[in-house]
């Protein structure tokens, strides 16, 4: 690898169009729309994995650019970093949505589209893309935001409410993209996994603000010890 290749870039990890097509074919017919790549520094020591893009992210093509993104920017301020200091991505790359009919007071019934939690199958269907990003970014620390990202990497036995703010050194779940029927297997490499509440959680539960602030102090210490040693 040349010096130029070793130097970090800022942008989207290059993804094979064939691999993207394969992932999208697996979820054909599901209530999903659009496609969003990750964005940030690669290779790099720090990676953040969220759940799935929302309407704003699909429209603008930028991870975490809605209300939750403003909360996430507060995370970065507390850590004294910027978006260009890490790579931000998600488990599912298309927006999971649901439609429901709403009857207004003075208007006719209309359809309203909102975000929903992705299914386990949808997370699995997009797994090869996240695996490619992790392989390319080569992070030492992976920050998971919420249960979906946490369980994608460490398995169903984990709940963010129980393990938030607790760094753990671990292998992670991966797939063989050419043999998806074999399901997940454990990676050979270990990573520091740091579970955090998803920033959207604060929008519905302000009592998490203090908890998250305390977790960010611990994360900053982990960054200092791991990436600057």
């Amino acid at each position: 690898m040349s010096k130029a290749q070793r130097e970090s870039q800022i942008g989207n990890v290059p993804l094979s169009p064939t691999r993207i097509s394969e992932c999208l074919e697996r979820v054909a017919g599901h209530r999903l729309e659009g496609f969003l790549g990750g964005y940030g520094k690669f290779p790099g020591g720090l990676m953040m994995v969220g759940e799935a893009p929302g309407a704003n992210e699909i429209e603008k093509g930028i991870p975490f650019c809605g209300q939750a993104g403003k909360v996430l920017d507060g995370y970065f301020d507390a850590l004294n970093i910027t978006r260009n200091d890490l790579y931000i991505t998600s488990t599912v790359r298309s927006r999971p949505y649901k439609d429901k009919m709403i009857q207004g007071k003075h208007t006719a019934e209309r359809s309203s589209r909102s975000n929903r939690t992705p299914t386990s199958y949808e997370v699995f269907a997009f797994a090869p893309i996240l695996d490619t990003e992790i392989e390319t970014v080569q992070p030492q620390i992976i920050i998971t935001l919420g249960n979906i990202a946490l369980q994608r990497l460490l398995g169903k036995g984990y709940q963010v409410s129980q393990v938030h703010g607790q760094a753990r050194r671990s292998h992670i779940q991966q797939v063989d993209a050419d043999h998806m029927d074999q399901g997940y297997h454990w990676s050979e490499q270990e990573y520091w996994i740091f579970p955090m509440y998803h920033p959207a959680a604060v929008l519905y539960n302000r009592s998490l603000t203090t908890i998250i602030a305390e977790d960010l102090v611990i994360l900053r210490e982990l960054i200092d010890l791991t990436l600057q040693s």
Side-chain angles (χ1 to χ4, degrees):
M1 184 179 292
S2 67
K3 179 181 178 182
Q5 289 174 316
R6 289 195 302 269
E7 291 176 349
S8 292
Q9 307 173 60
I10 302 295
N12 303 91
V13 162
L15 299 170
S16 162
T18 300
R19 192 65 77 204
I20 294 173
S21 296
E22 290 171 348
C23 291
L24 293 175
E25 286 173 9
R26 277 191 286 272
V27 293
H30 289 238
R31 290 181 175 270
L32 297 165
E33 63 180 2
F35 182 87
L36 181 69
Y39 186 87
K41 180 181 179 180
F42 69 94
L46 196 58
M47 187 173 188
M48 182 172 280
V49 182
E51 181 175 299
N56 287 320
E57 286 75 18
I58 291 298
E59 178 183 353
K60 298 179 181 179
I62 302 171
F64 284 99
C65 61
Q67 282 186 299
K70 294 178 181 178
V71 177
L72 186 63
D73 287 338
Y75 287 17
F76 297 147
D77 289 343
L79 293 170
N80 195 28
I81 62 175
T82 72
R83 287 179 179 241
N84 288 343
D85 293 319
L86 76 167
Y87 194 85
I88 307 174
T89 188
S90 60
T91 57
V92 172
R93 316 320 294 269
S94 299
R95 177 200 180 193
Y97 67 86
K98 57 185 176 182
D99 290 324
K100 64 178 180 179
M101 300 305 295
I102 296 178
Q103 179 66 60
K105 270 189 176 182
H106 307 291
T107 59
E109 189 178 50
R110 62 182 178 85
S111 176
S112 175
R113 178 164 292 185
S114 59
N115 299 333
R116 64 169 173 81
T117 302
T119 66
S120 296
Y121 175 79
E122 289 163 350
V123 171
F124 178 73
F126 284 96
I129 292 180
L130 179 57
D131 289 346
T132 296
E133 289 178 316
I134 292 173
E135 181 181 357
T136 304
V137 176
Q138 302 170 32
Q140 293 176 258
I141 302 171
I142 302 177
I143 305 160
T144 59
L145 302 176
N147 278 324
I148 298 298
L150 173 63
Q151 293 172 3
R152 159 63 175 88
L153 295 183
L154 296 185
K156 291 292 186 181
Y158 289 86
Q159 295 289 328
V160 68
S161 60
Q162 299 172 358
V163 299
H164 66 87
Q166 301 173 31
R168 62 193 62 231
R169 187 79 175 166
S170 178
H171 303 278
I172 61 173
Q173 293 189 137
Q174 295 180 330
V175 297
D176 182 339
D178 296 320
H179 300 281
M180 294 290 287
D181 58 305
Q182 297 178 3
Y184 290 114
H185 64 268
W186 293 102
S187 65
E188 293 184 6
Q189 185 173 345
E190 291 186 341
Y191 304 85
W192 280 110
I193 306 299
F194 193 88
M196 290 199 65
Y197 280 101
H198 194 286
V202 182
L203 301 174
Y204 307 104
N205 185 358
R206 292 294 177 181
S207 67
L208 293 174
T209 302
T210 300
I211 294 172
I212 291 171
E214 292 170 349
D215 290 349
L216 289 168
V217 171
I218 299 170
L219 176 56
R220 181 66 253 184
E221 292 174 352
L222 178 64
I223 292 172
D224 289 339
L225 288 172
T226 305
L227 303 186
Q228 298 182 12
S229 59

